[in-house]
Each structure stands twice: as structure tokens, then as C-alpha cells.
């Protein structure tokens, strides 16, 4: 089992930045592809970004490319999502995820292995 705890959410003005963190425990995250998903009020959860086990490959939702950066520190069992140039449409609960599947498949895969409980990001104009 992997336990995931997100932090770093909050309220930010459009154009600003936030950095989300995900602290993992239970197993080393080096075994897992890691990802971030989000769910806005009244909408389905959607893929945001993923990163392969050794950080060699990263994948992003089109609307966040060039603004968001996913990274990981396997030694510290941490995953990050740096969010720059935030927009009101980025407002959502953000969830950290871990899965044994390839990072490139996290955006389309059903049955992600492990989820955090989420952290709220609110972007106001």
C-alpha cells in the first residue's frame, strides 16, 4: 500500500504560482509512475501530468503545457507540481496518484493504484 498526502494548495491570483507537494509513505515511490489529476466542481476528474519512475519522461494535459512542471524526488518520496501563470480555469481539487503502469498511460488508464485525498487550488481573477 502507498499512502499519499498532498499539500501546498490555496488561493492565488490569476498569473500567480503555486507549488503542490505529495508526500508518499508505505513503499518507495521509485516503484511507481506518479501523476497529478484534478477535479473542478461539477466536473469529472481529469489528468494533469505524470512522470516516469526515474523522471526520464513527463506528460501533460495540453492546457497546462508550458505552465505546469511535474517533478519527483525518489530519495525523499516526494512528488511536486509547480504551477505557474495560473488561470481561473485551473481551480480544482488536485490529487496525487501512484500507479505501476507506465506514466504515459496514466492519463487514459482506469483503475489507478493509489490516490491522495486532494488539496484545493483556487485561482481568482
Amino acid at each position: 500500500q502507498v499512502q499519499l498526502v498532498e499539500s501546498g494548495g490555496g488561493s492565488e491570483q490569476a498569473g500567480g504560482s503555486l507549488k503542490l507537494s505529495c508526500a508518499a509513505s508505505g513503499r518507495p515511490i521509485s516503484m511507481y509512475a506518479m501523476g497529478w489529476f484534478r477535479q473542478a466542481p461539477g466536473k469529472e476528474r481529469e489528468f494533469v501530468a505524470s512522470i516516469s519512475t526515474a523522471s526520464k519522461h513527463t506528460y501533460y494535459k495540453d492546457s497546462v503545457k508550458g505552465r505546469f512542471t511535474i517533478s519527483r524526488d525518489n530519495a525523499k518520496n516526494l512528488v511536486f507540481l509547480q504551477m505557474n501563470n495560473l488561470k481561473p480555469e485551473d481551480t480544482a481539487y488536485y490529487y496525487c496518484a501512484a500507479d505501476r503502469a507506465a506514466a504515459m498511460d496514466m492519463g487514459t488508464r482506469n483503475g489507478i493504484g493509489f490516490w491522495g485525498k486532494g488539496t484545493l487550488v483556487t485561482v481568482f481573477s
Side-chain angles (χ1 to χ4, degrees), residues 5-10 19-23 36 78-79 81 94 96 118-119:
V5 179
E6 303 92 340
S7 62
K19 185 174 184 177
L20 306 183
S21 299
C22 172
W36 288 93
L78 293 170
V79 183
L81 185 68
Y94 283 72
C96 180
T119 186

Side-chain angles (χ1 to χ4, degrees), residues 19-52:
K19 185 174 184 177
L20 306 183
S21 299
C22 172
S25 59
R27 289 182 179 176
I29 63 167
S30 57
M31 302 169 59
Y32 300 93
M34 301 298 296
W36 288 93
F37 292 71
R38 67 187 183 188
Q39 187 168 17
K43 296 187 177 181
E44 294 187 353
R45 188 176 297 187
E46 63 179 7
F47 169 79
V48 175
S50 61
I51 185 168
S52 59

Side-chain angles (χ1 to χ4, degrees), residues 5-116:
V5 179
E6 303 92 340
S7 62
S11 294
E12 183 61 54
Q13 193 169 16
S17 298
L18 284 172
K19 185 174 184 177
L20 306 183
S21 299
C22 172
S25 59
R27 289 182 179 176
I29 63 167
S30 57
M31 302 169 59
Y32 300 93
M34 301 298 296
W36 288 93
F37 292 71
R38 67 187 183 188
Q39 187 168 17
K43 296 187 177 181
E44 294 187 353
R45 188 176 297 187
E46 63 179 7
F47 169 79
V48 175
S50 61
I51 185 168
S52 59
T53 53
S55 303
K56 189 173 182 179
H57 301 289
T58 56
Y59 305 89
Y60 296 93
K61 176 181 174 61
D62 284 346
S63 63
V64 308
K65 286 180 181 177
R67 300 190 297 121
F68 290 11
T69 302
I70 187 171
S71 61
R72 63 192 294 163
D73 184 337
N74 287 347
K76 296 182 178 179
N77 250 23
L78 293 170
V79 183
F80 305 100
L81 185 68
Q82 177 67 48
M83 305 185 294
N84 298 328
N85 190 21
L86 284 162
K87 302 178 180 181
E89 52 263 42
D90 295 321
T91 294
Y93 279 94
Y94 283 72
Y95 298 89
C96 180
D99 199 74
R100 295 297 296 268
M104 67 182 298
D105 294 328
M106 287 190 81
T108 55
R109 173 175 165 76
N110 290 321
I112 295 291
F114 303 98
W115 293 96

